[in-house]
Amino acid sequence: MLREARRWKKDLLGFSGAGGLSWLSRVLFARHPLVQESLTCTEIAGAQTRYLAVAGEQVAYREQGDGNTAVILLHGFGGRCETWAAIQPALAAHFRTVAIDLWGFGASARPAWVTPRDWTRQVFGVMDALGIDRAVFVAHSLGGRVSLMCAAQAPERVRGLALLDADWGHVPHGYLLAWAIAHTPSFPAALRRLRSDTRHIARLMRLAYGHAFSVDDALIEQYTAPLRVHGTAKTLVHLGRAALDSNIAGIPATLHCPSLIIWGDADYIIPVEWASKLAQKMPTSTLITLPAIGHFPQEEAPGLVLAHLQPFLAQFS
């Protein structure tokens, strides 16, 4: 009983517990005029954004480089292609890199029916459309979950995995809590309030990034603009209420491809202790922890990330 209580205390330190509830309560009880969804996907797309269709839905992606080895870049929850802007050009000097906006985020479509399983179909659909049979996946946070699902579904298409502060189904009760919150009548209202006052996202971002990193107005706008795209709230509500997949945490132990795990040791969203637990499940993995770095190592310390990522990717050339 005591051991179980201690485990729950540790888990609650992460955003899936007390931290997330505290932030969510600020959102729900804020008082300000509500802003409607008023933007299109193309209005928030970056200059290098390209589009293709998968299952009849628009996918935004950013392709750089033309090497023989393909590298798929997958962002985290609420992210977009721009999260890789500091490292993609360096990787493109040696590899063919493709950063994808997952459905529901960035400049990609907002299908109301999307679930996490649909993201694997989306990623493989992009690979098929671009003529990529196999690739190395570099993935952050929620993108880590998607890449693990892809590797489990089609291991012959995933040559290797580089996981940055990855969501790997590590706190089952946290996902159950999120699922329960998504089913409350207040959840759609919370999403409306999120897009109405950037201070809510700013608070969350300052929680997620390391203390030494400056969260400026441009970065806040990069992450808040997608919330104002038509259909976002409907898609996110459906995502939040989708059936829970309890098998994610078991996937890492079944994989045998070369793997690199990079984690900020000041990550409050997914604390660093979960990095070592993930590494233990993946005998072919190498774990690198970055001091004083938060949940976004590719943005906070791109040079450090590249110093470890480039040698890892070189083995696939």
Side-chain angles (χ1 to χ4, degrees):
M1 180 66 72
L2 180 60
R3 179 180 300 177
E4 184 71 8
R6 287 173 177 168
R7 182 183 70 80
W8 273 75
K9 180 180 179 181
K10 287 183 178 180
D11 292 351
L12 285 170
L13 293 177
F15 186 73
S16 61
L21 287 176
S22 175
W23 174 78
L24 182 61
S25 66
R26 289 174 178 263
V27 176
L28 286 174
F29 295 107
R31 290 289 180 264
H32 44 66
L34 296 181
V35 173
Q36 302 302 314
E37 295 174 341
S38 58
L39 300 175
T40 64
C41 291
T42 53
E43 286 180 292
I44 67 164
Q48 296 179 311
T49 301
R50 304 179 187 179
Y51 293 96
L52 54 79
V54 174
E57 296 290 348
Q58 178 175 274
V59 177
Y61 71 101
R62 181 171 297 178
E63 183 173 4
Q64 297 178 3
D66 57 0
N68 293 326
T69 300
V71 176
I72 301 296
L73 301 167
L74 299 179
H75 61 77
F77 191 90
R80 53 193 299 192
C81 290
E82 281 74 7
T83 193
W84 305 108
I87 69 171
Q88 189 174 5
L91 296 179
H94 305 284
F95 309 100
R96 181 186 182 186
T97 66
V98 180
I100 301 171
D101 280 352
L102 297 172
W103 282 324
F105 302 110
S108 281
R110 302 299 198 264
W113 44 260
V114 71
T115 69
R117 285 289 171 188
D118 293 308
W119 286 327
T120 62
R121 180 165 59 121
Q122 178 192 4
V123 171
F124 288 137
V126 171
M127 292 174 63
D128 291 341
L130 297 180
I132 299 173
D133 294 325
R134 304 175 68 213
V136 184
F137 282 50
V138 178
H140 171 243
S141 197
L142 175 67
R145 172 181 284 246
V146 177
S147 68
L148 290 171
M149 293 167 66
C150 287
Q153 180 178 325
E156 72 281 0
R157 304 198 69 175
V158 181
R159 300 181 65 188
L161 293 169
L163 304 172
L164 283 63
D165 296 66
D167 168 11
W168 55 276
H170 52 290
V171 189
H173 77 271
Y175 306 112
L176 182 61
L177 175 62
W179 181 82
I181 290 173
H183 279 76
T184 66
S186 300
F187 186 61
L191 293 176
R192 291 193 296 271
R193 295 186 184 284
L194 269 179
R195 67 169 177 260
S196 298
D197 191 340
T198 57
R199 289 177 298 178
H200 299 314
I201 297 296
R203 290 190 187 102
L204 176 59
M205 291 175 67
R206 293 189 177 104
L207 189 72
Y209 286 82
H211 294 303
F213 187 80
S214 176
V215 177
D216 59 22
D217 291 342
L219 187 62
I220 293 171
E221 177 61 16
Q222 175 181 307
Y223 281 94
T224 54
L227 289 171
R228 300 194 295 273
V229 170
H230 293 292
T232 299
K234 190 172 183 179
T235 297
L236 293 182
V237 169
H238 185 78
L239 270 172
R241 294 174 177 175
L244 293 173
D245 192 333
S246 59
N247 300 320
I248 301 297
I251 291 178
T254 69
L255 304 180
H256 304 287
C257 61
S259 302
L260 175 66
I261 301 170
I262 298 177
W263 220 279
D265 74 355
D267 186 348
Y268 184 76
I269 302 298
I270 308 179
V272 68
E273 67 182 70
W274 295 106
S276 57
K277 294 180 179 180
L278 175 60
Q280 290 171 8
K281 288 176 171 284
M282 303 178 73
T284 59
S285 68
T286 298
L287 172 60
I288 303 294
T289 57
L290 304 180
I293 300 301
H295 188 62
F296 289 82
Q298 74 277 13
E299 296 182 41
E300 299 175 52
L304 284 177
V305 170
L306 285 169
H308 298 291
L309 186 57
Q310 287 176 318
F312 171 75
L313 294 174
Q315 68 183 294
F316 301 101
S317 299

